[in-house]
Amino acid sequence: MTDDSRADEPVAWLDAEEKAAWTGLISIALLMPGRLEAPLRDFGLTLFDYMSLSAISEAPDRRLRMSELAYLTNGSLSRLSNVLKRFEQKGWAERYPDPADGRYTVAALTDAGYEVVVAAAPTHVRAVREHVLDPLPPEDRAALARIAERLRIRPADH
Amino acid sequence: MTDDSRADEPVAWLDAEEKAAWTGLISIALLMPGRLEAPLRDFGLTLFDYMSLSAISEAPDRRLRMSELAYLTNGSLSRLSNVLKRFEQKGWAERYPDPADGRYTVAALTDAGYEVVVAAAPTHVRAVREHVLDPLPPEDRAALARIAERLRIRPADH
DNA sequence: CGACTTGAGTTCACGCGTGAAGTGAACTAG
DNA sequence: CTAGTTCACTTCACGCGTGAACTCAAGTCG
């Protein structure tokens, strides 16, 4: 193991407990998104697509600023610009300058876009239950929320 | 919230505790890899690059079959083939048919490749400590390992 | 007022990952 | 023996995400 095979170096290599925590986390991070995305593909959605559509659908009048969307989805503006461009091309969303302040851009769901997220939501929730919630007892669920908070990762509402 | 705003549908929408667990997990999954990868970029490595190099460096004589590497890194053969191709082009690794069974391909680190992972390891471990281990008390670390196991996600050694 | 600054957002070039298609080695069946 | 099957692996085409460069609207300063 590279991490702990050089005792001659001034590096605090990981012990077994640390390694178990670390590898647990990274494995979840690497594998879980793919699992949750797979059923969404039937709707032509990536996981991030779904989360973006979901966040907009929850906003007042199903519209919000791109910067607010970036905050809610933990995504970069660059990424979202590309995503919303795809949505526009599919007729799911539209973008326009915020009338209150032209520096901002508002992203709004079309009726078609709303229908997509409505259709996909039950599938998404079922996947979340199956892959995340059902296998975990309450103390583990609480731990997940607590850990995310401790790691200074802001959970977004989805 | 899309997830629970359609009480008229036969779907078990998420309650607050479930949502906190779910959003905690997905936020970690979305944001943590990027954090850990950033310092590795100074070495020209993605996080997956590092984990691949690390896994090979730990194998006997610093070589192992591609399929074994895929298992250890939780990566697909397709992905690894691309990654190893890059490594070969950089002189970090070589691939050859397994003399014991020509159906298999062996991936081996070159001295240059080994030096890359040796150079990057302290940085990687420090990032893991800073972003994952240091903010978490022992019970949360134990929870991570337990959760990964419960979610049927096999932690790989890194 | 004009020049400059700041921040939101878009575009661009390119790296990376995926699934499908293809290749080849070993094994199996007739 | 040959034909077919299976599995490991590579290649390919393309979607997606990133960081840098760019644009633009609003605010600030002299």
Side-chain angles (χ1 to χ4, degrees):
Chain A
M1 187 83 260
T2 305
D3 290 343
D4 58 3
S5 60
R6 263 161 301 282
D8 51 328
E9 299 226 310
V11 176
W13 303 108
L14 307 181
D15 66 32
E17 179 233 25
E18 290 172 328
K19 194 175 301 177
W22 151 242
T23 59
L25 179 144
I26 202 59
S27 298
I28 292 171
L30 291 183
L31 293 175
M32 188 58 74
R35 288 190 187 171
L36 299 168
E37 177 164 295
L40 290 171
R41 283 299 189 175
D42 292 343
F43 300 90
L45 299 171
T46 67
L47 181 59
F48 190 79
D49 285 348
Y50 175 81
M51 293 193 295
S52 302
L53 287 170
S54 177
I56 306 176
S57 79
E58 292 292 327
D61 202 29
R62 295 177 196 151
R63 66 200 55 215
L64 79 177
R65 288 174 175 172
M66 291 291 283
S67 42
E68 177 70 14
L69 184 57
Y71 175 78
L72 290 174
T73 58
N74 287 323
S76 66
L77 275 168
S78 172
R79 183 180 186 181
L80 275 165
S81 193
N82 282 298
V83 167
L84 265 291
K85 189 171 187 175
R86 271 196 289 109
F87 288 174
E88 277 185 326
Q89 286 163 353
K90 294 183 179 186
W92 293 347
E94 62 188 359
R95 286 177 293 180
Y96 57 89
D98 190 337
D101 186 337
R103 290 172 297 187
Y104 296 92
T105 298
V106 172
L109 276 200
T110 62
D111 289 344
Y114 184 66
E115 280 164 26
V116 169
V117 66
V118 165
T123 298
H124 167 70
V125 170
R126 277 197 290 273
V128 170
R129 289 197 178 285
E130 180 190 338
H131 293 291
V132 180
L133 298 172
D134 290 349
L136 298 181
E139 65 263 27
D140 282 345
R141 298 182 189 183
L144 269 182
R146 193 173 65 235
I147 289 167
E149 190 175 338
R150 286 210 163 107
L151 296 184
R152 312 273 302 274
I153 290 184
R154 176 187 47 79
D157 279 354
H158 300 299
Chain B
M1 187 81 260
T2 307
D3 291 343
D4 58 3
S5 61
R6 264 162 300 281
D8 53 325
E9 300 228 306
V11 176
W13 303 110
L14 307 180
D15 64 33
E17 179 235 23
E18 290 173 328
K19 196 174 302 179
W22 151 242
T23 58
L25 180 144
I26 200 61
S27 298
I28 292 172
L30 291 183
L31 292 174
M32 189 56 77
R35 287 188 186 172
L36 298 166
E37 176 163 298
L40 289 172
R41 283 297 189 177
D42 291 343
F43 300 90
L45 299 171
T46 68
L47 181 60
F48 191 78
D49 284 348
Y50 174 82
M51 293 193 296
S52 302
L53 288 169
S54 178
I56 306 177
S57 77
E58 292 294 326
D61 201 30
R62 293 176 195 153
R63 65 200 55 214
L64 78 177
R65 287 176 177 169
M66 290 290 284
S67 42
E68 177 69 14
L69 184 57
Y71 175 77
L72 290 173
T73 59
N74 287 323
S76 67
L77 275 168
S78 172
R79 184 179 187 182
L80 276 166
S81 192
N82 280 299
V83 168
L84 264 293
K85 187 170 188 175
R86 271 195 290 110
F87 289 173
E88 278 185 327
Q89 286 164 353
K90 293 182 178 184
W92 294 349
E94 61 188 0
R95 286 178 292 180
Y96 56 88
D98 190 336
D101 186 336
R103 288 172 298 188
Y104 296 92
T105 299
V106 172
L109 275 200
T110 62
D111 288 345
Y114 185 67
E115 282 165 23
V116 168
V117 67
V118 164
T123 297
H124 168 69
V125 171
R126 276 196 291 272
V128 170
R129 287 197 179 284
E130 180 189 340
H131 294 292
V132 181
L133 298 172
D134 291 350
L136 298 181
E139 65 263 26
D140 282 346
R141 298 181 189 184
L144 269 182
R146 193 172 64 234
I147 288 166
E149 190 175 337
R150 287 212 162 106
L151 296 185
R152 311 272 301 274
I153 288 184
R154 177 187 46 77
D157 280 353
H158 298 302

